Amino acid sequence: MITVSLIPIPLRIAALTQERNSLLEYPVERLASVIREIGFQCSSCAKCCTRAFNGHVFLLDRDVTAVKTIDPAAIEPAPAPEFCDQNGIFYVSGYAIRIQDDDGGSCWFLENGKCRIYERRFTICRIYPYMLHREADEKGCVDWRQFCGLDQHGEYNAAIPENESLDLARETKEYENAFLTQEIRFLEFMQDYFSRHRLRHVQKVYDDGMRRFNRGEEITVMVYYDGLLERHRITKQTEP
Ligand code: SF4
């Protein structure tokens, strides 16, 4: 498999733009019908709010703006930066919610199994476990994925009213559109930034830097937020 950061930026922008066009054509009613068919109901197990179950929680810019007012310590550069320049500086497209230093890697806002900012939780938290993007399955078959972690959490076959399913479907589609748009903006920004500052992505420097990071050394990461880059010095957190 080719490393994503080695694919030229214009090709990545074109692929994401095509992905967004397909998303915009996807009928909301179809997603709403999948939502009703699955009938998911949250059982408050709180698994989805842990890194052990769900990896990291990537935030849209508007959610970063909100979290900065709630608790600025609750965000960290999203993992797996997209680029590293010849000087060893990493670049990533946004922030993720920080995790706590506990066994399961609980979200920063999870307290006694409950979200302590539930009424103000972020877009991704509101639509989860629904999603709408294309992904390859274990056999390599690329198709739309609309649900995360089927049969691994929550309860099923609940009766979901049509208007509720349509609202969820619209919000899910809107989130995926905002996510792709943010990624495209980041790539367009980086294309221009690298060219203006005579920088380039160097995979060997990236790999060496990641090795140092994984050994516990500090690295510099520039995080794309609100049309600019924010500088951070980070060290690896202990994995749950
Ligand atoms: S913000 Fe709340 S709902 Fe979202 S992952 Fe954290 S604890 Fe869960």
Side-chain angles (χ1 to χ4, degrees), residues 1-238:
M1 197 174 75
I2 188 161
T3 309
V4 175
S5 46
L6 287 177
I7 301 172
I9 294 180
L11 288 187
R12 291 174 63 183
I13 293 173
L16 286 177
T17 305
Q18 199 176 29
E19 185 70 21
R20 189 173 56 181
N21 290 343
S22 305
L23 170 77
L24 294 177
E25 281 166 18
Y26 191 101
V28 156
E29 294 75 17
R30 198 195 304 173
L31 178 58
S33 138
V34 172
I35 289 171
R36 289 197 300 280
E37 207 176 296
I38 295 173
F40 175 82
Q41 202 168 36
C42 175
S43 59
S44 303
C45 67
K47 272 190 197 173
C48 62
C49 305
T50 66
R51 186 167 283 183
F53 186 73
N54 237 345
H56 69 281
V57 178
F58 185 86
L59 295 173
L60 298 176
D61 270 4
R62 62 182 181 229
D63 291 322
V64 174
T65 305
V67 81
K68 281 184 173 199
T69 66
I70 299 169
D71 180 357
I75 49 171
E76 62 185 5
E82 279 88 346
F83 302 106
C84 179
D85 68 27
Q86 65 267 40
N87 304 315
I89 312 286
F90 287 87
Y91 300 85
V92 70
S93 60
Y95 286 101
I97 305 180
R98 190 180 294 281
I99 56 163
Q100 299 177 42
D101 189 15
D102 61 8
D103 287 347
S106 301
C107 168
W108 188 260
F109 293 110
L110 194 64
E111 197 171 83
N112 300 323
K114 291 201 168 23
C115 175
R116 62 186 164 88
I117 56 156
Y118 189 78
E119 293 308 320
R120 291 182 288 168
R121 69 195 186 286
F122 312 112
T123 319
I124 182 78
C125 307
R126 281 203 312 274
I127 63 163
Y128 189 87
Y130 304 111
M131 58 163 78
L132 190 57
H133 58 250
R134 288 188 293 192
E135 230 175 69
D137 63 15
E138 54 290 347
K139 290 181 191 147
C141 170
V142 177
D143 203 353
W144 288 102
R145 309 286 160 207
Q146 297 104 335
F147 192 86
C148 186
L150 190 64
D151 292 331
Q152 293 170 35
H153 60 130
E155 288 159 7
Y156 298 84
N157 303 316
I160 300 182
E162 187 168 354
N163 59 345
E164 200 180 303
S165 68
L166 279 165
D167 285 348
L168 272 167
R170 275 189 210 101
E171 200 172 0
T172 302
K173 193 169 163 178
E174 197 272 327
Y175 167 80
E176 298 284 4
N177 182 22
F179 172 75
L180 287 171
T181 301
Q182 188 164 318
E183 290 294 308
I184 291 167
R185 281 199 192 124
F186 165 68
L187 291 175
E188 287 170 344
F189 177 91
M190 288 309 302
Q191 187 167 240
D192 178 57
Y193 183 85
F194 272 9
S195 143
R196 272 191 294 118
H197 297 277
R198 296 175 186 271
L199 296 168
R200 62 186 197 287
H201 170 74
V202 182
Q203 192 60 39
K204 184 172 183 327
V205 181
Y206 185 107
D207 295 341
D208 289 347
M210 273 294 131
R211 269 192 287 275
R212 286 201 318 279
F213 178 64
N214 287 326
R215 282 199 304 264
E217 289 180 35
E218 202 176 45
I219 57 169
T220 301
V221 183
M222 306 292 275
V223 183
Y224 182 67
Y225 163 66
D226 207 17
L228 294 170
L229 292 170
E230 295 186 338
R231 186 185 184 89
H232 293 264
R233 295 283 294 164
I234 61 163
T235 45
K236 191 178 167 70
Q237 271 187 291
T238 317

